[in-house]
Amino acid sequence: MTRSDPEQPKAELVIVSNRLPVDRVVNPDGSIDWRRSPGGLVTALEPVMRANDGAWIGWSGGTDPDLEPFVDDGLSLVPVALSSQEVEEFYEGFSNGTLWPLYHDVVAKPEFHREWWDSYVTVNRRFAEAAAETAAESATVWVHDYQMQLVPAMLREMRPDLRIGFFLHIPFPPAELFQQLPWRRQLLEGLLGADVVGFQRPGASQNFVRLVRQRVGHKTHRDMVYLPDGRTVQAGAFPISIDVEGLEQLARSEPVQQRAKEIREQLDNPKYILLGVDRLDYTKGIYARLRGYSELIAEGRLSVEDAVFVQVATPSRERVEQYRVLRDDIDRLVGRINGDLGRIGRPAISYLHSSYPREEMAALFRAADVMVVTPLRDGMNLVAKEYVACRYESDGALVLSEFAGAADELRQAFLINPYDINGMKASIMQAINADPKDLSKRMKAMRKTISEHDVKDWASSFLKVLSEARPMHHKQLRPARRT
Ligand code: ADP
Ligand code: F6P
């Protein structure tokens, strides 16, 4: 059945994101596999879509021309095709060479190219059209992340009957940085097509509302934007989470416990296992983290006999120049550290550049004494929450960057400034040497926090605000005072 088939049932809930939860991979023998896509967006949205009936629109990860909608493991997926030029200009270019670094504190230099922008507009329109064709009358469409910021306004134009929400999974920059964008106004107007625009942190929502007031000239009051046509747009913070119960269940399962033991044995039962798990991305602070750790060994504060750092780095955006450079830098750094400090059978760093199944990730979280999460800037960082969810015995320590959204909630972690390498080293040592009673108190508090706010709560709180937001036209509902 094709999307335009009038007989095809339309969906009451439609998710739009750049990626589908599975990636189409063509094997060397020409056979096709669908593999789980990388990243936190898929981790968070998959359980939400399993709990709701709906359709998920996204890119298949390749350049195959139109693939038909299909059902994968119970999820209705609607693939959108990208040409190889669009992969270069829309995905690698504007999404990951312009917006990604700009929205992450310009930790790398964003590039501005007009042809990348043109491609972003074209691809956003294609996603909006797919959503317009898939959604039932008055359905809810939930658009996700920085690759899709024009979709809300385009979709509203095509289907004014829809309820439209947008959620940004990454940080939203302060006005001083956002202003660099030659297309700043168009992006803000694109987002304003939604009824609700959600962010990870309150500061991001405030940045957005302030920019709308300054750059587009709309009236605002607190988190509300008042458009000249009488429509209102509600902004707000909706910190994302994980399927805490599901992951804990997996972590408690016999095979995962067994595998965690095996991992420790394979590492020769060191006293301390430290763990880093990230997409191989320059925002994650992997380089400084490994350097800091190597200094602890070189200074004799830790030894390779006692400790090992397991760094799992998922391959990511491998054709983007800055990611290639990072990969080479990390490869070289790990080689140098192990060459200088390792002993036979005792590397300082056990480095894995690969993706793993959920069971293996849970086993790694179970095996690790200290989880080290050091992004220079991160919307949330689900890995930090995943570690906490897996520590059902309330042991283990979390070292966490204060520049990750997760630091707002996981206050009992050993919080660090990732730019301060000496401070980070001191916190790693503090975590390693902490009294087990102190660790248990911290972990219990963090476990309480995440179990009170899991991904189901995140989705339902967003969808609730969305369901209440749309009928409020400001002509009917004016605040007492507006700024
Ligand atoms: P981001 O969205 O920037 O990648 P998050 O920490 O929010 O960062 O989410 C990353 C997600 O990807 C987590 O669910 C994590 O468990 C998963 N993940 C990271 N590395 C791997 C890997 N090597 N294999 C499988 N899953 C991974
Ligand atoms: O929000 C984080 C995020 O950028 C998602 O949008 C994305 O799906 C994920 O990380 C992985 O990145 P990519 O889709 O570019 O491989």
Side-chain angles (χ1 to χ4, degrees), residues 40-92:
L41 181 147
V42 167
T43 301
L45 284 181
E46 201 190 310
V48 171
M49 281 310 268
R50 288 202 184 285
N52 289 281
D53 243 359
W56 190 333
I57 294 174
W59 171 46
S60 66
T63 53
D64 343 81
D66 272 323
L67 297 167
E68 295 297 300
F70 64 104
V71 174
D72 179 75
D73 199 13
L75 297 177
S76 293
L77 308 182
V78 182
V80 173
L82 295 187
S83 67
S84 53
Q85 191 175 348
E86 285 164 347
V87 173
E88 256 175 57
E89 295 181 348
F90 154 76
Y91 170 69
E92 293 163 355

Side-chain angles (χ1 to χ4, degrees), residues 21 57 78 87 115 159 162 172 209 244 256 258 265 320 339 362 398 410 414 416:
I57 294 174
V78 182
V87 173
E115 59 281 16
R159 291 283 307 271
L162 298 174
F172 189 77
V209 174
V244 176
V256 167
Q258 198 47 43
E265 276 160 18
V320 177
L398 174 64
L410 304 178
F414 293 87
I416 56 124

Side-chain angles (χ1 to χ4, degrees), residues 18-19 38-41 91 96 100 145-147 169-170 279 316-317:
N18 176 50
R19 268 193 199 278
L41 181 147
Y91 170 69
N96 291 313
W100 181 267
D145 230 357
Y146 61 101
Q147 304 94 338
H169 291 249
I170 68 171
R279 268 184 314 99
S316 184
R317 305 172 192 166

Side-chain angles (χ1 to χ4, degrees), residues 104-369:
H104 284 88
D105 279 1
V106 293
V107 297
K109 194 171 160 33
E111 286 183 44
F112 303 112
H113 298 292
R114 283 165 288 182
E115 59 281 16
W116 288 5
W117 166 253
D118 293 342
S119 183
Y120 187 80
V121 177
T122 306
V123 172
N124 271 243
R125 177 151 295 116
R126 192 171 308 144
F127 275 78
E129 279 161 2
E133 286 167 14
T134 307
E137 180 71 26
S138 304
T140 295
V141 179
W142 194 1
V143 184
H144 289 264
D145 230 357
Y146 61 101
Q147 304 94 338
M148 301 281 120
Q149 290 173 96
L150 302 178
V151 170
M154 290 171 168
L155 183 57
R156 179 164 299 283
E157 183 85 23
M158 296 169 198
R159 291 283 307 271
D161 59 300
L162 298 174
R163 202 181 283 275
I164 303 171
F166 179 90
F167 183 77
L168 186 70
H169 291 249
I170 68 171
F172 189 77
E176 293 67 25
L177 293 180
F178 188 82
Q179 259 145 217
Q180 290 181 13
L181 255 182
W183 309 279
R184 58 201 180 189
R185 191 181 166 116
Q186 289 96 313
L187 283 181
L188 294 170
E189 283 173 342
L191 292 170
L192 289 170
D195 299 295
V196 178
V197 182
F199 300 89
Q200 300 278 21
R201 303 176 102 163
S205 177
Q206 286 150 17
N207 290 345
F208 170 70
V209 174
R210 187 173 144 218
L211 272 159
V212 165
R213 192 168 57 241
Q214 290 175 343
R215 290 280 149 207
V216 195
H218 292 324
K219 293 198 168 105
T220 66
H221 176 68
R222 301 215 171 119
D223 275 345
M224 195 69 97
V225 179
Y226 300 88
L227 304 184
D229 66 0
R231 208 163 58 77
T232 52
V233 180
Q234 164 95 62
F238 300 85
I240 203 166
S241 194
I242 54 166
D243 174 10
V244 176
E245 214 185 297
L247 187 56
E248 179 172 336
Q249 243 175 43
L250 184 67
R252 282 178 184 272
S253 70
E254 191 48 40
V256 167
Q257 292 194 44
Q258 198 47 43
R259 177 67 191 137
K261 239 172 86 193
E262 217 174 272
I263 291 173
R264 285 200 83 99
E265 276 160 18
Q266 284 169 345
L267 293 166
D268 219 6
N269 285 315
K271 247 161 112 179
Y272 313 112
I273 297 179
L274 295 91
L275 175 66
V277 171
D278 316 78
R279 268 184 314 99
L280 190 44
D281 194 299
Y282 52 80
T283 59
K284 301 288 182 183
I286 304 170
Y287 194 94
R289 176 194 310 166
L290 297 181
R291 232 188 82 195
Y293 179 73
S294 74
E295 287 179 15
L296 289 173
I297 306 263
E299 290 159 8
R301 292 159 79 183
L302 284 174
S303 75
V304 289
E305 275 71 36
D306 283 347
V308 65
F309 198 117
V310 178
Q311 176 63 54
V312 181
T314 326
S316 184
R317 305 172 192 166
E318 291 190 293
R319 296 189 338 169
V320 177
E321 176 65 11
Q322 283 146 334
Y323 288 76
R324 274 200 210 136
V325 170
L326 176 72
R327 179 164 183 197
D328 288 348
D329 287 350
I330 300 283
D331 281 354
R332 259 199 306 273
L333 180 69
V334 171
R336 202 168 64 227
I337 293 172
N338 282 340
D340 289 350
L341 303 171
R343 310 240 193 288
I344 287 179
R346 289 281 187 180
I349 294 170
S350 175
Y351 179 60
L352 306 158
H353 180 248
S354 184
S355 259
Y356 295 96
R358 267 162 46 86
E359 291 73 13
E360 182 73 359
M361 299 309 291
L364 280 162
F365 291 136
R366 288 296 308 149
D369 303 292

